[in-house]
Amino acid sequence: MTGELVELAKRRGFFFQSSEAYGGVSGFYVYGPQGAALKRNIEDSWRDRFQVQEGHREIEAPTVMPEPVFEASGHLDTFDDMLVECPECGESHRADHLIEDNTDIEDAEAMPLSEVGDLIAEYDLHCPSCETPLAGEPVEDFNLMFETDIGPGSGHPGYLRPETAQGIFVEFPRLKEYARNQLPFGITQIGTAYRNEISPRKSIIRVREFTQAELEHFIDPETDEPPLHRVEDVEVTLYSAVEQNDDDGDYLRTTIGEAVEEGIIASDWVAYYLGVGQEWYERIGVDMDRFRFRQHLAGERAHYASDCWDAEAEIDGDWIEITGYAYRSDYDLSKHDKYSDEDFTIFRQYDEPKVVERATVDPDMSYLGPEFGGAAADIAEALQTLAERDRTAFDGDVVTVEADGDTYAIPVEKTGFSVEEVKESGEHIVPHVVEPSIGIGRVLYTVLDHAYDTDEIEGETRTRLSLDPEIAPTTVGVFPLMDKDDMGETARDIAAELRSHGLDVVYDDSGNIGRRYRRQDEVGTPFCVTVDYEGLEDDTVTLRERDSTEQVRVAVDDLPNLIADLRSGERAFSEL
């Protein structure tokens, strides 16, 4: 199937490799006229379900961010893939992919580097490019981020963002103001991300530039609960970590409510969005018999995730991730709160004020200054931090603190340490984050693959894409039976009228009517309108449905509203 689909995608303008005039660039693709429209419709559908219906707001952040952002987020240290280089031809390969592609081992990504190297030797794996043995070659971490310089020179290093999420997290101090400092609230973003993949493959499945649709839902973990009742009856297919580790493990077919009740999905928030996602994938045409939610094993979870489930679709016998659902806890905001000069907390108001004991220090700076010079201010700050964390450290005559890597012993009597009772109306907390992160290109490919079909019409083999009308690149094709006797002019007028109602329309008068139908079937156009001699007499047209090839006669004046209702699902063609 993959070859036929990729050939159709290139021939009909869905997607193709970029810069082909210069030999092409691996991992970069152009979405053609059909693909760009399909991609936009999928994005709009996602935006409707995950943003508008959930009451969230959208932003658009830059794709280039300064290096300190990724120092704080952990991407500089942990955003790596396993690289093995061929000693003969110099080609670089994903070591874990070599193992997964040539053995029965799954999830090699979760294994340590040393074990991956041992498996390459054990299975005598060779370079896919030149067949040179790779046993004994070092397996190393390779950071996937694209580096750049911001401004002239090299004094301000930056990176192309590897995920859109950081553009949301970094702006949290301002975004929380727009939300009136009230939790929960969600921020979405649809945009481009970049990963310098070692070995891009499978057309648009694994690329170096791709579009993400991400939601970062900020919550108070102690008080905020999702509306699980909305999705508790949604049926899902789960592949939990427990089942994956069991030799006889199998899928669990259950409902969201039962999965939460039985503890299969630990986070109620993740469970809620799995339910939302399940309904959305079905809405846009993903085949539910070739779909599952798989829980990450401990070794493959991202550095920020305490739990993660992937939505996966089956493509040619392989399961590909199309969405990650992660409970990121307070990892991201805590990191940026620590590394930046901004406040990434939100004030949680108590129902009633509380009287609490608070440890404070009031250091004698007339002692610290002469005694420790320039380190005095850092020592005072360290004393306050220690008092808040461990007041017992001040029980003796001397307290020890660290400041700028040095250790200092301070007489307790010089610290001004005391414990006082104070009345507090609330406290500052770092919100937790729930994140559905969708790869738009992978969803697009899945929808195309699951919609691809062939059948026989009037003795001829027909290729069609059974795309849902909501996301199809073109909603309706308008044809004159022949471009004469005013049929062409009437058809062009109808096409213009339908476009004025916001519908995607293609006009075609080239070739016989059967070939025109086949062209539209092949690109997934759900409806076709044909103007014929009878229609010139009574102001009617023939309306044809793609999958069934059934036709009905309808009035021209009814077309705009009728096709809009068919596209939205308000009406079914079988009811006409």
Side-chain angles (χ1 to χ4, degrees):
M1 163 66 76
T2 299
E4 292 91 338
L5 181 58
V6 171
E7 188 277 331
L8 183 150
K10 184 175 182 178
R11 177 166 50 84
R12 290 301 187 193
F14 282 96
F15 56 81
F16 50 89
Q17 191 175 40
S18 72
S19 304
E20 288 183 326
Y22 293 89
V25 182
S26 179
F28 295 91
Y29 278 79
V30 174
Y31 287 95
Q34 299 291 342
L38 175 60
K39 180 172 177 285
R40 181 183 63 249
N41 290 342
I42 290 173
E43 291 170 2
D44 287 344
S45 177
W46 181 90
R47 183 179 283 112
D48 171 69
R49 184 62 192 90
F50 283 83
Q51 177 188 317
V52 176
Q53 293 189 36
E54 295 298 318
H56 302 317
R57 304 303 298 272
E58 182 176 5
I59 69 165
E60 184 174 339
T63 58
V64 176
M65 305 182 76
E67 184 176 62
V69 169
F70 301 108
E71 290 177 350
S73 68
H75 283 86
L76 284 181
D77 296 326
T78 60
F79 200 67
D80 304 312
D81 274 344
M82 304 177 187
L83 180 147
V84 61
E85 186 174 304
C86 176
E88 182 65 28
C89 69
E91 283 291 315
S92 297
H93 305 286
R94 276 280 298 266
D96 51 326
H97 285 175
L98 288 177
I99 293 171
E100 294 168 359
D101 291 346
N102 295 283
T103 74
D104 294 330
I105 297 172
E106 298 180 357
D107 301 321
E109 181 182 7
M111 298 177 179
L113 295 178
S114 59
E115 187 174 343
V116 169
D118 292 342
L119 288 172
I120 289 175
E122 178 183 341
Y123 286 92
D124 191 25
L125 300 184
H126 290 211
C127 171
S129 301
C130 69
E131 293 301 319
T132 298
L134 296 175
E137 295 303 313
V139 179
E140 301 174 330
D141 280 330
F142 173 76
N143 192 279
L144 300 178
M145 288 196 296
F146 284 99
E147 187 173 3
T148 186
D149 292 315
I150 300 174
S154 57
H156 299 283
Y159 292 87
L160 301 182
R161 64 186 183 191
E163 59 178 11
T164 64
Q166 294 307 318
I168 298 175
F169 295 140
V170 168
E171 308 307 336
F172 179 81
R174 188 172 298 278
L175 294 172
K176 70 179 181 181
E177 295 179 6
Y178 301 150
R180 301 184 308 281
N181 290 288
Q182 298 294 311
L183 295 174
F185 70 89
I187 300 294
T188 68
Q189 183 170 203
I190 299 177
T192 307
Y194 305 85
R195 297 180 185 179
N196 195 13
E197 293 284 349
I198 295 169
S199 51
R201 57 180 186 168
K202 296 183 179 180
S203 70
I204 60 172
I205 297 300
R206 186 170 293 279
V207 290
R208 290 176 168 133
E209 177 184 277
F210 55 96
T211 299
Q212 284 184 308
E214 292 194 303
L215 161 64
E216 308 304 330
H217 198 161
F218 301 101
I219 64 169
D220 184 330
E222 294 187 11
T223 61
D224 294 330
E225 296 181 357
L228 268 178
H229 64 278
R230 298 180 188 171
V231 297
E232 61 184 355
D233 295 327
V234 173
E235 296 182 350
V236 290
T237 298
L238 304 179
Y239 196 23
S240 68
V242 172
E243 294 296 323
Q244 293 173 63
N245 287 321
D246 190 333
D247 292 338
D248 298 321
D250 200 358
Y251 297 152
L252 301 171
R253 292 175 174 83
T254 183
T255 66
I256 290 294
E258 291 169 349
V260 170
E261 185 176 341
E262 296 172 16
I264 299 168
I265 306 174
S267 165
D268 288 2
W269 279 102
V270 170
Y272 173 72
Y273 280 113
L274 293 186
V276 170
Q278 173 81 22
E279 294 179 324
W280 181 70
Y281 302 123
E282 189 168 6
R283 165 180 164 181
I284 63 173
V286 174
D287 184 351
M288 290 296 105
D289 291 331
R290 301 164 64 187
F291 177 84
R292 71 186 185 187
F293 288 114
R294 185 184 69 83
Q295 187 179 25
H296 278 204
L297 301 173
E300 64 177 311
R301 282 201 298 267
H303 59 276
Y304 51 71
S306 60
D307 189 24
C308 188
W309 290 75
D310 283 346
E312 295 185 333
E314 183 271 320
I315 304 290
D316 289 329
D318 293 329
W319 289 94
I320 66 165
E321 173 198 349
I322 59 177
T323 307
Y325 293 82
Y327 190 90
R328 298 180 74 131
S329 66
D330 62 353
Y331 175 88
D332 301 279
L333 297 188
S334 292
K335 285 285 189 176
H336 290 301
D337 186 74
K338 176 182 178 182
Y339 278 77
S340 74
D341 296 327
E342 294 290 338
D343 179 13
F344 285 75
T345 68
I346 274 187
F347 187 72
R348 177 200 286 160
Q349 187 84 26
Y350 296 146
D351 293 335
E352 296 181 0
K354 298 180 180 179
V355 176
V356 299
E357 288 187 343
R358 176 181 295 169
T360 63
V361 294
D362 183 16
D364 183 354
M365 299 306 292
S366 64
Y367 166 78
L368 294 184
E371 186 72 17
F372 302 108
D378 292 332
I379 293 173
E381 183 177 346
L383 286 169
Q384 181 60 52
T385 300
L386 180 60
E388 294 171 356
R389 187 180 73 245
D390 180 17
R391 65 183 62 175
T392 62
F394 295 81
D395 288 346
D397 295 329
V398 175
V399 60
T400 301
V401 295
E402 289 189 5
D404 287 338
D406 293 322
T407 301
Y408 300 91
I410 314 296
V412 171
E413 64 179 15
K414 300 295 184 181
T415 66
F417 173 79
S418 65
V419 177
E420 303 173 351
E421 285 191 349
V422 296
K423 183 179 290 187
E424 294 183 344
S425 60
E427 63 180 318
H428 287 273
I429 65 164
V430 178
H432 284 206
V433 178
V434 186
E435 177 196 72
S437 175
I438 293 178
I440 293 293
R442 292 188 175 195
V443 170
L444 182 149
Y445 191 96
T446 297
V447 167
L448 287 177
D449 184 86
H450 289 190
Y452 186 97
D453 193 17
T454 58
D455 56 11
E456 190 172 294
I457 301 294
E458 298 176 352
E460 294 184 357
T461 299
R462 174 180 71 147
T463 298
R464 64 183 167 122
L465 293 175
S466 297
L467 297 172
D468 188 279
E470 179 189 7
I471 65 167
T474 303
T475 304
V476 57
V478 178
F479 316 138
L481 184 63
M482 294 174 286
D483 191 7
K484 66 178 185 178
D485 298 333
D486 291 330
M487 283 184 284
E489 182 178 350
T490 300
R492 283 187 282 269
D493 288 343
I494 290 173
E497 178 66 14
L498 293 176
R499 291 189 185 107
S500 73
H501 283 77
L503 296 169
D504 284 309
V505 182
V506 62
Y507 172 86
D508 189 0
D509 57 17
S510 174
N512 68 55
I513 195 69
R515 290 188 179 276
R516 282 179 267 170
Y517 284 150
R518 299 297 177 269
R519 283 198 289 267
Q520 295 309 309
D521 293 343
E522 194 172 36
V523 296
T525 303
F527 310 109
C528 288
V529 168
T530 303
V531 176
D532 54 20
Y533 283 110
E534 181 180 347
L536 294 179
E537 296 293 330
D538 60 8
D539 288 329
T540 64
V541 292
T542 297
L543 179 62
R544 174 185 181 269
E545 197 268 340
R546 176 197 60 216
D547 294 339
S548 67
T549 71
E550 294 293 327
Q551 300 184 26
V552 296
R553 198 117 199 131
V554 300
V556 171
D557 289 343
D558 294 339
L559 270 179
N561 290 334
L562 175 57
I563 293 176
D565 286 348
L566 290 170
R567 184 184 186 277
S568 67
E570 291 292 321
R571 300 181 67 177
F573 193 88
S574 60
E575 299 171 353
L576 302 183

